[in-house]
Amino acid sequence: MTDGVRLRFGVDLVTFFHPGFWDVDTHDAIIAFARSAPRAFWDKTLDSVQQSGVTGVELTFSPFNWQDAVKTYGSVDAFAAELSRRGLTLCSGFFAELEASGDFTKAEAQAAIIAKAEAYADFLKACGSDIMVIGAPLRQTLGAQPVEFYDFDRAKRIADFLNRLGAALFARGIRLALHTEAHSIFAAARDVDLMMMLTDPAYVHMCPDTAHIILAGSDPVQMVDRHHERMIIAHWKDAIGPMPADTPIDEHIHDRHRPYFCDLGLGRVDWPAWTRLLRDQGFKGWAILELDAAPNPVRDIANGLTLVRQALLPIYH
């Protein structure tokens, strides 16, 4: 491994979802370009990851998903070869189906999700990855009617499904890592504690995202300290502070998050304390330097990597 053996640095491809990077005006125009010129789109994305200095790639939603990658390059092996010749590794894949599925307590909805996740798992395994990062269902907007309380009974139903999903992925050589997505049922400290208690640690792991935990009004260092044994990958990202409690939670919630994110070192995350925590707990694995839709992602990732190497890795060692 690079960067001191124990930590490896990657990026989630959502980082490249900014119109300015593609010289277009809208997100829809990015998708249109990806569909009209997929090879140019993917080549530029992977070349940019390589230029930024990180070595890992985390796939995410379309036009950056695994199906798009396979369709563009013709096969799983061909995509893996494109990564390899750039010195890149597929470190993980983000699975967004849970958040998008609405009520997945019904058996047919759960079967469909597991089938999609298993197909994704087989792709990840074929590319040398063993981690699937999963977004949790969203919470309800504060005050919305009829009220849905996120209580023990609701959490138990979700946890039971996550256990079964984690076991299905494990059978295919892939580990499930729940992502701390702000405004989901797995971001604020109490919600994370509840889900970690109810899920089986053998099959359900954790991908803390430092910025999203800040947005949810919690402390990433304290939270991860409580659950460090569950962390198998982490998103290193900064944020300026918590979002208002009455923030509307709808299809635009991810757009509302973006103004709260900032460059590494300019927000509320206590990076020296975070690094000491990982050092003291002996964490080994991928650190994803993710930026949501950065206009100049190559520069921003490279700057974040420089900060990490100069200011944080000396603490970690």
Side-chain angles (χ1 to χ4, degrees):
M1 291 187 182
T2 57
D3 292 305
V5 178
R6 285 160 51 186
L7 277 182
R8 303 176 78 180
F9 293 95
V11 65
D12 185 293
L13 296 188
V14 70
T15 300
F16 299 94
F17 199 57
H18 191 288
F21 176 67
W22 298 100
D23 296 322
V24 297
D25 296 325
T26 66
H27 292 108
D28 287 343
I30 299 175
I31 295 169
F33 173 65
R35 288 176 179 161
S36 64
R39 185 63 186 248
F41 176 82
W42 274 90
D43 282 351
K44 178 176 179 177
T45 301
L46 297 182
D47 288 345
S48 298
V49 174
Q50 181 187 29
Q51 291 163 18
S52 74
V54 297
T55 58
V57 172
E58 180 174 278
L59 298 180
T60 184
F61 54 80
S62 187
F64 302 102
N65 71 13
W66 71 273
Q67 296 98 328
D68 296 326
V70 172
K71 186 176 179 182
T72 297
Y73 291 112
S75 70
V76 177
D77 289 344
F79 174 64
E82 291 293 328
L83 292 175
S84 180
R85 73 181 185 84
R86 293 174 172 87
L88 301 176
T89 300
L90 186 67
C91 52
S92 48
F94 189 87
F95 183 74
E97 298 290 339
L98 214 59
E99 181 186 309
S101 63
D103 181 10
F104 62 86
T105 55
K106 298 188 171 102
E108 60 271 21
Q110 293 187 0
I113 290 168
I114 289 175
K116 288 180 181 178
E118 286 177 335
Y120 196 178
D122 291 343
F123 163 83
L124 291 171
K125 187 70 175 174
C127 287
S129 174
D130 71 341
I131 296 174
M132 187 184 297
V133 180
I134 292 184
L138 291 173
R139 266 183 162 275
Q140 186 185 42
T141 302
L142 186 65
Q145 297 292 333
V147 176
E148 293 177 358
F149 297 112
Y150 183 53
D151 55 12
F152 183 90
D153 291 336
R154 183 157 177 252
K156 179 74 167 59
R157 289 195 297 273
I158 295 170
D160 288 345
F161 174 66
L162 289 171
N163 283 336
R164 288 191 289 110
L165 179 59
L169 294 179
F170 180 83
R172 283 172 150 75
I174 299 297
R175 295 177 291 168
L176 181 160
L178 267 182
H179 178 260
T180 56
E181 182 82 25
H183 298 100
S184 77
I185 57 152
F186 192 72
R190 173 269 192 186
D191 292 353
V192 170
D193 291 345
L194 181 59
M195 191 53 63
M196 289 287 91
M197 178 183 72
L198 291 173
T199 50
D200 188 332
Y203 296 105
V204 179
H205 309 278
M206 179 184 188
C207 172
D209 183 307
T210 48
H212 280 279
I213 295 168
I214 295 280
L215 262 55
S218 296
D219 182 327
V221 176
Q222 290 180 4
M223 180 190 294
V224 174
D225 192 21
R226 289 197 297 278
H227 304 291
H228 61 85
E229 73 283 357
R230 307 287 288 271
M231 177 173 60
I232 59 172
I233 190 171
H235 286 183
W236 293 31
K237 191 160 65 176
D238 220 335
I240 59 174
M243 293 181 69
D246 60 353
T247 297
I249 303 172
D250 55 23
E251 68 272 18
H252 302 296
I253 187 59
H254 302 297
D255 295 329
R256 295 191 179 100
H257 288 164
R258 285 178 181 149
Y260 288 82
F261 298 135
C262 60
D263 288 345
L264 217 64
L266 299 183
R268 294 277 191 91
V269 178
D270 185 341
W271 291 110
W274 172 257
T275 307
R276 285 192 296 272
L277 172 64
L278 268 57
R279 176 198 67 196
D280 293 347
Q281 301 303 340
F283 175 76
K284 300 177 183 179
W286 286 100
I288 306 300
L289 302 180
E290 176 198 350
L291 301 157
D292 272 40
N296 194 337
V298 175
R299 180 200 65 196
D300 292 348
I301 298 165
N303 286 348
L305 200 55
T306 297
L307 171 70
V308 168
R309 285 175 169 153
Q310 292 182 353
L312 300 181
L313 284 183
I315 298 171
Y316 182 82
H317 296 316

